[in-house]
Amino acid sequence: MHQRSLHLTRCEIGGGFLVLQARKRRRKTRGNIAENLAGYLFMMPAILVLITFVILPIVWAVFLSLHKVQLLGGIKYEFIGFRNFTRLVEDERVWIALKNTVEYVAIVVPIQTILALVLAVTLNSGIRGKNWWRILFFLPTVTSSAVLTLIFMWIYNTDGLLNDFFAFVGLPTYNWLGDPAVALKGIMIMNIWSTAPFYMVIYLAALQDIPQSLYEAAELDGANDWQKFIYVTIPMLKPVTFFVVAMGIIGTFQLFDQSYIFSNGNGGPNNATLTVVLLIYQAVFRNLQMGYGAAIAFLLAMVIIIITLVQRRIFGGSEMGR
């Protein structure tokens, strides 16, 4: 009898322990739910902004790309499947715009990156009046893009400042605004001059974060200034260079305002300054073809994503992310 009561007592104690454990788990679960709800509540403004300005526009663009949209006489949507995308292959102006944009990116991004690095290294070397040089170099970046374009249109005029300088030194002059062979080059020069200082500031901040002990160790090993730049500075700037090149590619692929102002919106002369974004503008706002414009936008997004992934592979993005 005594053993049976003892056994019952143990069972009661064990059962009570299990009940306590279950209660603790329920309280912990309720606490975790409360913490998660509080976290999501704090994140809600950012989530709403993300949904409103990123996710919904993408979903709407997908919807438009699959429809023919009639805007005159009442808005109507006609489902046409992938006909807008197949039309891209047959449209000669799409390939002209893509060729111009890729050429622009391939020339502008490397030059502006190298120029930004050279300017940053120069300002970081301790030259006299470096604060004034920083302000002077950065002025083009803070100037309005439209104003810069109008200034350069005046410079590029047939009797403008640039041709006067070429004539003075005995070089051939160009019709920068009317010659298809040089019109896009004129926009390239202007954008390199105006965007390199922005990336210069990024490089300058990164240069100042490189530990001085690395340069001292290189000096002890007998490295000169050039070897320190190649074997210390360049490897340490690799993550920053990835960022600069990625931002440069995205920005240059989105070239619109300079090309629009230079050509009065038509991409001339002879489609020489026609870019993909300008073509999207023409399709939507001139031809009222919103579905086709959305299809061109997806083509541009796909090109940017592919090039960025290739660039990440080249720069070793997985290693930089560790």
Side-chain angles (χ1 to χ4, degrees):
M1 187 71 181
H2 177 70
Q3 290 180 350
R4 184 178 178 184
S5 61
L6 181 63
H7 177 70
L8 290 174
T9 303
R10 288 177 179 176
C11 290
E12 290 173 356
I13 294 174
F17 178 76
L18 293 176
V19 170
L20 289 175
Q21 289 291 101
R23 288 176 179 174
K24 286 182 180 179
R25 282 197 295 269
R26 284 197 295 268
R27 283 197 296 267
K28 186 176 181 181
T29 302
R30 286 196 293 267
N32 290 337
I33 293 174
E35 290 179 2
N36 292 336
L37 289 176
Y40 283 116
L41 185 63
F42 282 111
M43 292 170 58
M44 191 58 63
I47 293 174
L48 290 176
V49 170
L50 182 67
I51 293 174
T52 304
F53 296 102
V54 178
I55 297 177
L56 287 181
I58 292 175
V59 173
W60 182 244
V62 172
F63 172 81
L64 289 176
S65 66
L66 300 175
H67 289 77
K68 179 180 179 182
V69 185
Q70 177 183 320
L71 298 176
L72 300 178
I75 301 178
K76 296 180 181 178
Y77 302 96
E78 177 188 349
F79 181 77
I80 59 173
F82 292 97
R83 278 163 54 187
N84 283 324
F85 292 96
T86 56
R87 181 181 168 188
L88 293 175
V89 182
E90 304 168 357
D91 192 345
E92 182 183 2
R93 297 187 80 237
V94 170
W95 298 107
I96 293 174
L98 190 59
K99 172 183 172 296
N100 290 341
T101 307
V102 170
E103 178 185 353
Y104 177 84
V105 173
I107 295 176
V108 170
V109 173
I111 295 178
Q112 75 180 10
T113 303
I114 294 172
L115 180 59
L117 179 59
V118 171
L119 292 175
V121 171
T122 303
L123 291 177
N124 197 53
S125 62
I127 61 173
R128 294 181 58 184
K130 62 181 180 181
N131 291 332
W132 290 104
W133 284 113
R134 290 178 186 177
I135 296 173
L136 184 64
F137 287 156
F138 198 69
L139 279 178
T141 299
V142 298
T143 306
S144 169
S145 176
V147 173
L148 280 176
T149 305
L150 293 174
I151 292 173
F152 269 83
M153 287 181 69
W154 170 72
I155 294 174
Y156 289 149
N157 206 340
T158 51
D159 55 351
L161 185 63
L162 189 58
N163 277 342
D164 288 345
F165 172 76
F166 282 173
F168 178 76
V169 298
L171 295 175
T173 60
Y174 295 97
N175 182 9
W176 293 89
L177 302 178
D179 188 351
V182 296
L184 187 62
K185 278 71 175 179
I187 299 179
M188 292 178 186
I189 294 172
M190 179 186 66
N191 275 282
I192 291 170
W193 180 77
S194 62
T195 55
F198 172 75
Y199 298 116
M200 173 200 73
V201 174
I202 298 174
Y203 269 127
L204 190 58
L207 284 169
Q208 294 173 352
D209 284 340
I210 298 178
Q212 203 63 30
S213 58
L214 296 178
Y215 294 107
E216 294 171 357
E219 285 183 7
L220 292 176
D221 289 337
N224 55 33
D225 291 339
W226 175 251
Q227 290 172 328
K228 285 189 289 185
F229 177 74
I230 294 296
Y231 297 108
V232 178
T233 304
I234 296 296
M236 292 298 294
L237 292 178
K238 191 175 181 181
V240 179
T241 301
F242 171 79
F243 172 79
V244 168
V245 174
M247 294 300 295
I249 289 174
I250 294 172
T252 48
F253 262 109
Q254 295 175 349
L255 173 67
F256 169 73
D257 48 352
Q258 296 95 336
S259 179
Y260 178 88
I261 297 173
F262 259 79
S263 63
N264 196 24
N266 56 33
N270 195 24
N271 292 327
T273 59
L274 181 66
T275 62
V276 177
V277 179
L278 181 56
L279 189 63
I280 296 172
Y281 166 84
Q282 292 177 353
V284 175
F285 293 99
R286 287 193 175 183
N287 303 328
L288 301 180
Q289 299 174 344
M290 295 186 65
Y292 188 52
I296 301 174
F298 275 111
L299 171 65
L300 176 62
M302 188 60 63
V303 171
I304 293 176
I305 291 172
I306 291 173
I307 293 180
T308 304
L309 291 176
V310 171
Q311 174 204 340
R312 181 179 176 84
R313 167 81 63 173
I314 293 173
F315 279 86
S318 59
E319 296 180 1
M320 291 187 294
R322 291 177 184 174

